[in-house]
Amino acid sequence: MIAYIEPYFLDNDAEAASAVTAAGISTDGVSESLNIQGEIVCGGAATDIAGRDFGGMNCVKPLAVVRPVGPEDIAGAVKAALRSDKLTVAARGNGHSINGQAMAEGGLVVDMSTTAENHFEVGFLSGGDATAFVDVSGGALWENVLKRCVSEYGLAPRSWTDYLGLTVGGTLSNAGVSGQAFRYGPQTSNVTELDVVTGNGDVVTCSEIENSELFFSVLGGLGQFGIITRARVLLQPAPDMVRWIRVVYTEFDEFTQDAEWLVSQKNESSFDYVEGFVFVNGDDPVNGWPTVPLHPDHEFDPTRLPQSSGSVLYCLELGLHYRDSDSNSTVDKRVERLIGRLRFNEGLRFEVDLSYVDFLLRVKRSEEIAKEIGTWETPHPWLNLFVSKRDIGDFNRTVFKELVKNGVNGPMLVYPLLRSRWDDRTSVVIPEGEIFYIVALLRFVPPCAKGSSVDKMVAQNQEIVHWCVKNGIDFKLYLPHYKSQEEWIRHFGNQWSRFVDRKAMFDPMAILSPGQKIFNRSP
């Protein structure tokens, strides 16, 4: 559920110094009190760096921003908070939280970008299969990991997010989901080792074998148990090219049945990437037909739609990997063998060939356009959910075909995932059943829009969540944010007691990630 953090502002530097004293830190200087090698930014400059996030709906004033050299500096910030009565610490990657999750009002924000280059080493796991991995910093951007792995080693991580301008530690603290997750699971299922700074100020290496409780706690742990400073990410040989395909459906049942069939096939019997989205059945350039074609030369022909088409349509988005050495006819045959089983609308098929790197960076162009027209800097009241297969039909009828039938001024993603690819030892919670869906309403606000427009979008998000709760929909918020502990208890369900126990082990004073509003700081 969308929730706001009540803003609390220190009016001037004198008041900030008073807050430092109250927190148990010497007024001789925050830098000296923290005793770290990296840079510390205070006052208005700290607010400029970490006072807002991509969501743009919260504005808070941190006490200081810590720009660490390495994990020892991060541990130093946590230990300083432990010595105080109320100081908290939040890790900030690229600032892409939506509801203030990476903020620390009156606390310390750790800018992980300064550690981005601390680790990069490719190696092989011990064992017979010689699986490759790369050790990368928790502050590294996935787009840089991609470019370097492919260009230097011809390798790439197996599981991605759609947008790669996110940090490794940030996505691993949530899950990390894209069109490869049906095969390899989320990014949290594709790491074998972590270095973590806990809420006790300890720097710990953990894995499935070593300090395993911390390892699984941190993965999907919403930053509540530790700050990831290094991750060992599994790699595979990178393909050269991708055949990127979109096909259109008028019927939701046929769309979901085909998508579920694809994600349930063995590797060679399916595409390498499977996603989907909903769009408006009309010529709206932001929400409708023009959003589907993949190339400027492609045109969406609405005469191909049956007269019975409803207010919204559905698009299955597919990707097939191949090598430069594969002939066009070989690729075409593989595509036709897979796509011939699908029941999309004839004449509404679009495809292009891209390099593997360009395909994975496809959202980068959307970012550039959004920056050009001003929507990258405006608020983003996004809503992300996991919805069970059992309830996705009801969700379609009420949400897609009624509540958001005119679009959300951005993508409306919906595609299936497989529970068996997720590790239930992590802190992530998902719906019951082997197949469930991710739904993402990625709203963009026009630069000319008034504040009331954002309020209406937030209210509609709340309406959707309330409808899910009232009607017994089996769902979980992805990238969750709630107002009350009661809502958090409902979110975690029978995993709540485990979550609380883990908090007591690794962050008993509730120092970390106060912006999530799950636990209150203990004096």
Side-chain angles (χ1 to χ4, degrees), residues 18-181:
S18 175
V20 175
T21 303
I25 299 176
S26 167
T27 55
D28 292 338
V30 177
S31 299
E32 294 179 7
S33 301
L34 292 181
N35 189 28
I36 67 172
Q37 293 183 324
E39 179 187 4
I40 297 176
V41 181
C42 300
T47 303
D48 291 342
I49 296 169
R52 297 178 69 87
D53 61 10
F54 184 69
M57 297 175 291
N58 301 277
C59 185
V60 303
K61 196 166 188 177
L63 178 66
V65 170
V66 177
R67 287 177 157 166
V69 171
E72 293 77 14
D73 281 356
I74 300 171
V78 173
K79 289 174 182 176
L82 285 168
R83 294 192 298 268
S84 74
D85 286 334
K86 59 181 181 180
L87 203 59
T88 56
V89 178
R92 178 185 175 93
N94 205 20
H96 268 261
S97 60
I98 299 300
N99 293 288
Q101 292 97 324
M103 294 180 178
E105 186 176 0
L108 303 176
V109 175
V110 180
D111 180 359
M112 296 299 292
S113 67
T114 58
T115 69
E117 303 299 324
N118 284 8
H119 300 281
F120 189 91
E121 183 177 357
V122 171
F124 294 89
L125 299 176
S126 57
D129 60 355
T131 301
F133 66 81
V134 61
D135 284 338
V136 291
S137 169
L141 294 180
W142 282 107
E143 62 186 22
N144 295 332
V145 173
L146 166 69
K147 293 173 184 176
R148 193 167 176 186
C149 283
V150 172
S151 65
E152 295 182 18
Y153 298 94
L155 299 170
R158 308 188 305 179
S159 188
W160 296 96
T161 53
D162 286 339
Y163 175 63
L164 301 187
L166 308 172
T167 59
V168 170
T171 64
L172 292 179
S173 295
N174 289 281
V177 178
S178 186
Q180 308 83 12

Side-chain angles (χ1 to χ4, degrees), residues 49-301:
I49 296 169
R52 297 178 69 87
D53 61 10
F54 184 69
M57 297 175 291
N58 301 277
C59 185
V60 303
K61 196 166 188 177
L63 178 66
V65 170
V66 177
R67 287 177 157 166
V69 171
E72 293 77 14
D73 281 356
I74 300 171
V78 173
K79 289 174 182 176
L82 285 168
R83 294 192 298 268
S84 74
D85 286 334
K86 59 181 181 180
L87 203 59
T88 56
V89 178
R92 178 185 175 93
N94 205 20
H96 268 261
S97 60
I98 299 300
N99 293 288
Q101 292 97 324
M103 294 180 178
E105 186 176 0
L108 303 176
V109 175
V110 180
D111 180 359
M112 296 299 292
S113 67
T114 58
T115 69
E117 303 299 324
N118 284 8
H119 300 281
F120 189 91
E121 183 177 357
V122 171
F124 294 89
L125 299 176
S126 57
D129 60 355
T131 301
F133 66 81
V134 61
D135 284 338
V136 291
S137 169
L141 294 180
W142 282 107
E143 62 186 22
N144 295 332
V145 173
L146 166 69
K147 293 173 184 176
R148 193 167 176 186
C149 283
V150 172
S151 65
E152 295 182 18
Y153 298 94
L155 299 170
R158 308 188 305 179
S159 188
W160 296 96
T161 53
D162 286 339
Y163 175 63
L164 301 187
L166 308 172
T167 59
V168 170
T171 64
L172 292 179
S173 295
N174 289 281
V177 178
S178 186
Q180 308 83 12
F182 77 93
R183 178 169 296 166
Y184 298 110
Q187 291 179 316
T188 49
S189 294
N190 290 274
V191 291
T192 62
E193 187 176 280
L194 302 171
D195 284 344
V196 175
V197 177
T198 72
N200 295 314
D202 300 322
V203 181
V204 183
T205 298
C206 56
S207 67
E208 185 174 357
I209 299 172
E210 179 184 10
N211 299 308
S212 60
E213 190 67 28
L214 176 62
F215 179 72
F216 291 115
S217 297
V218 169
L219 292 173
L222 307 177
Q224 292 300 301
F225 312 111
I227 297 172
I228 298 171
T229 61
R230 178 186 64 88
R232 179 161 290 180
V233 181
L234 294 175
L235 301 176
Q236 64 180 1
D240 297 313
M241 300 291 292
V242 177
R243 175 73 56 87
W244 185 14
I245 303 167
R246 286 178 176 174
V247 290
V248 173
Y249 293 75
T250 56
E251 299 301 325
F252 188 69
D253 286 348
E254 293 180 349
F255 165 80
T256 54
Q257 288 167 13
D258 281 358
E260 290 172 13
W261 179 79
L262 285 170
V263 303
S264 300
Q265 301 305 300
K266 294 182 179 179
N267 289 6
E268 294 301 317
S269 300
S270 187
F271 289 92
D272 300 291
Y273 164 95
V274 177
E275 285 198 13
F277 60 91
V278 183
F279 63 101
V280 174
N281 187 7
D283 59 2
D284 182 336
V286 176
N287 299 292
W289 304 327
T291 63
V292 178
L294 294 169
H295 189 276
D297 292 340
H298 298 167
E299 289 188 7
F300 189 103
D301 183 2

Side-chain angles (χ1 to χ4, degrees), residues 226-374:
I227 297 172
I228 298 171
T229 61
R230 178 186 64 88
R232 179 161 290 180
V233 181
L234 294 175
L235 301 176
Q236 64 180 1
D240 297 313
M241 300 291 292
V242 177
R243 175 73 56 87
W244 185 14
I245 303 167
R246 286 178 176 174
V247 290
V248 173
Y249 293 75
T250 56
E251 299 301 325
F252 188 69
D253 286 348
E254 293 180 349
F255 165 80
T256 54
Q257 288 167 13
D258 281 358
E260 290 172 13
W261 179 79
L262 285 170
V263 303
S264 300
Q265 301 305 300
K266 294 182 179 179
N267 289 6
E268 294 301 317
S269 300
S270 187
F271 289 92
D272 300 291
Y273 164 95
V274 177
E275 285 198 13
F277 60 91
V278 183
F279 63 101
V280 174
N281 187 7
D283 59 2
D284 182 336
V286 176
N287 299 292
W289 304 327
T291 63
V292 178
L294 294 169
H295 189 276
D297 292 340
H298 298 167
E299 289 188 7
F300 189 103
D301 183 2
T303 65
R304 295 284 189 166
L305 296 170
Q307 292 185 348
S308 59
S309 300
S311 58
V312 296
L313 303 171
Y314 312 94
C315 181
L316 199 55
E317 186 170 61
L318 311 166
L320 184 74
H321 297 168
Y322 64 95
R323 311 295 303 187
D324 285 337
S325 56
D326 293 333
S327 66
N328 288 337
S329 61
T330 298
V331 177
D332 291 343
K333 288 178 182 178
R334 288 177 62 196
V335 168
E336 295 309 317
R337 177 172 56 84
L338 294 172
I339 212 166
R341 161 73 166 71
L342 307 183
R343 294 166 293 172
F344 58 90
N345 287 78
E346 292 295 330
L348 293 176
R349 168 179 168 179
F350 308 90
E351 56 188 80
V352 294
D353 292 276
L354 294 177
S355 75
Y356 177 66
V357 171
D358 285 345
F359 173 74
L360 288 179
L361 293 176
R362 62 196 180 281
V363 181
K364 193 72 175 178
R365 178 54 184 157
S366 299
E367 175 188 357
E368 294 168 354
I369 294 172
K371 287 180 176 178
E372 290 173 3
I373 64 177

Side-chain angles (χ1 to χ4, degrees), residues 383-413:
L383 179 65
N384 297 270
L385 312 94
F386 295 134
V387 180
S388 69
K389 173 184 175 179
R390 181 197 74 188
D391 295 319
I392 195 64
D394 288 340
F395 190 95
N396 170 62
R397 283 185 286 274
T398 297
V399 178
F400 291 142
K401 299 181 81 170
E402 294 296 334
L403 296 180
V404 297
K405 64 182 180 181
N406 296 318
V408 297
N409 211 47
M412 298 191 291
L413 307 182

